[in-house]
Amino acid sequence: MTACNGTGGAPEATASADVTQAGATKADASGKKYLSQPLVSEIYTADPSAHVWNDKFYIYNSHDIDGPTAEDDLGSHFEMRDYHVLSMDKVGGKVTIGPVALDVSQVPWASKQMWAPDAAFKNGTYYFYFPAKDKQGAFRIGVATSKDPMGPFKPQPQPIKGSYSMDPAVFTDDDGQSYMYFGGIWGGQLQRNINGKYDPNGSKTDLQADDKPALLPRVARMNGDMLEFAEAPREVKIVDEKGKLLLGGDHDRRFFEGSWMHKYNGKYYFSYSTGDTHYLAYGIGDSPYGPFTYKGRILEPVEGWTTHHSIVEKDGKWWLFYADSQLSGQTRLRNVKVTELHYNEDGTIKTIDPFVR
């Protein structure tokens, strides 16, 4: 339906969406109203990684396009090939859609599927991190740089050494040290990289052992130049209140994809998507490496299959950026949204319903 630069028209809301400029929509066929509205409707966007730089929000997201591939459990129908950065001064304000920040044709090692990205800033340079499949069909993570947060970004000629799978999220701690969190099962191929080496014949889903600990996301400390890992990636342990690892069969709580890290009142909050059960979940820990004790859900299921998010603070308020398929009604064509996030007195996060009941 749409892709920038003349390859398609602007998306239109489905009859059930009935989009308004502000507030919830009119009720759709099931009587639901949306809690928040798409940030932009000129292009399809998903997987928002939001940051506050220069007193503005910059949102690094996927750019969905309507390709020919049929839907499957490996996400083959997500055929994204470039990125556009969004920016806005405040929530509810005008949103600017940047030009092409990076295209797959500019990345020597990449072949297709420019999935969920993230960005970081250090010493006057903006670093853009992105996953893509290499020429052998394995997901790797690349990095590109720019002096402008909107890009364009110039990619490094090779992916980050030792990187694999997808969904990079880079967190910079108070001491200036940065860490990359990454990984995703099913189409994200984490189950095919158990030892860090890609196995094209590995499982299509997970470890296929519901009574064993679930596959875990990965974390690696970044070098000072932000271009490579300073260490071998290690597992990010997500445990229950008794300190036991969540099991593979615990689909309501176990990790699937979409890592994010933020810090609140001195504690580390690792959040992620449960994938096939469509929750945003989180755990709290005392170190950027974890372990993280599962605490609950941030967001209930949205319209559409995927849930990928970010959490950021600006002017004393915390914001959850997420996406659904309100504009298109199609899994592959999503739209980024934002809503305020609130904490309970004990530091837990109040669960958000993406619909107004």
Side-chain angles (χ1 to χ4, degrees):
M1 288 180 63
T2 185
C4 278
N5 306 321
T7 58
E12 296 181 357
T14 61
S16 64
D18 198 5
V19 180
T20 59
Q21 291 300 312
T25 62
K26 296 178 182 179
D28 66 10
S30 65
K32 295 178 181 177
K33 296 180 180 179
Y34 299 94
L35 176 65
S36 59
Q37 291 300 301
L39 290 182
V40 297
S41 59
E42 294 86 349
I43 62 173
Y44 289 113
T45 52
D47 312 320
S49 292
H51 295 270
V52 176
W53 291 312
N54 313 316
D55 199 35
K56 295 176 66 172
F57 290 101
Y58 292 92
I59 304 105
Y60 299 85
N61 40 249
S62 303
H63 172 207
D64 284 349
I65 60 173
D66 194 13
T69 304
E71 290 190 18
D72 62 24
D73 288 340
L74 299 182
S76 303
H77 48 294
F78 294 115
E79 302 177 79
M80 301 86 91
R81 57 175 179 259
D82 65 10
Y83 297 100
H84 295 259
V85 184
L86 308 181
S87 68
M88 60 185 183
D89 292 330
K90 62 181 181 179
V91 172
K94 178 184 177 182
V95 180
T96 298
I97 304 173
V100 174
L102 183 67
D103 187 278
V104 67
S105 64
Q106 299 171 275
V107 184
W109 59 268
S111 65
K112 61 181 179 179
Q113 291 181 295
M114 305 286 271
W115 283 10
D118 193 19
F121 175 75
K122 186 175 184 179
N123 297 332
T125 298
Y126 295 91
Y127 297 85
F128 183 74
Y129 301 94
F130 60 95
K133 284 184 177 176
D134 64 16
K135 310 298 184 182
Q136 288 71 48
F139 267 116
R140 303 290 299 277
I141 297 171
V143 56
T145 58
S146 177
K147 293 299 182 181
D148 189 322
M150 301 288 282
F153 291 90
K154 181 179 179 181
Q156 296 293 298
Q158 297 295 330
I160 295 172
K161 297 183 185 68
S163 70
Y164 51 90
S165 196
M166 62 169 192
D167 288 357
V170 176
F171 164 76
T172 300
D173 208 346
D174 299 332
D175 61 2
Q177 181 61 62
S178 296
Y179 304 82
M180 179 184 287
Y181 301 83
F182 64 94
I185 59 175
W186 293 26
Q189 302 179 343
L190 188 58
Q191 73 280 358
R192 297 184 178 185
N193 287 277
I194 297 172
N195 298 314
K197 184 177 181 180
Y198 180 65
D199 176 8
N201 298 313
S203 168
K204 288 185 177 182
T205 54
D206 53 22
L207 294 178
Q208 298 182 323
D210 286 355
D211 59 342
K212 300 284 176 49
L215 273 164
L216 295 168
R218 303 293 195 260
V219 59
R221 182 167 51 86
M222 301 297 293
N223 271 341
D225 63 8
M226 300 293 284
L227 299 176
E228 297 289 348
F229 295 152
E231 60 186 0
R234 63 179 79 178
E235 293 180 331
V236 178
K237 290 181 168 56
I238 307 171
V239 300
D240 63 18
E241 293 292 344
K242 296 181 180 179
K244 295 184 178 180
L245 290 169
L246 300 183
L247 300 181
D250 189 355
H251 288 208
D252 282 354
R253 298 192 298 173
R254 63 90 173 90
F255 172 81
F256 189 101
E257 63 186 3
S259 299
W260 187 258
M261 172 65 70
H262 76 280
K263 202 170 182 179
Y264 176 75
N265 284 351
K267 295 288 187 178
Y268 296 87
Y269 287 65
F270 179 76
S271 48
Y272 56 95
S273 172
T274 62
D276 56 333
T277 48
H278 318 296
Y279 301 121
L280 285 183
Y282 73 104
I284 300 177
D286 296 316
S287 161
Y289 288 117
F292 298 97
T293 302
Y294 177 88
K295 291 296 181 180
R297 299 173 187 166
I298 298 171
L299 184 70
E300 297 289 359
V302 299
E303 177 182 352
W305 202 94
T306 63
T307 301
H308 190 124
H309 72 300
S310 56
I311 297 169
V312 67
E313 183 269 339
K314 186 178 188 297
D315 301 327
K317 291 186 176 182
W318 287 89
W319 301 97
L320 172 71
F321 287 79
Y322 64 104
D324 65 16
S325 58
Q326 175 183 340
L327 290 179
S328 72
Q330 298 184 52
T331 299
R332 75 179 78 208
L333 300 173
R334 297 158 292 178
N335 43 257
V336 167
K337 295 184 171 185
V338 62
T339 192
E340 191 171 357
L341 179 143
H342 299 277
Y343 298 88
N344 296 305
E345 290 187 4
D346 63 358
T348 56
I349 296 172
K350 293 184 178 181
T351 303
I352 297 169
D353 188 334
F355 298 98
V356 178
R357 306 294 176 176

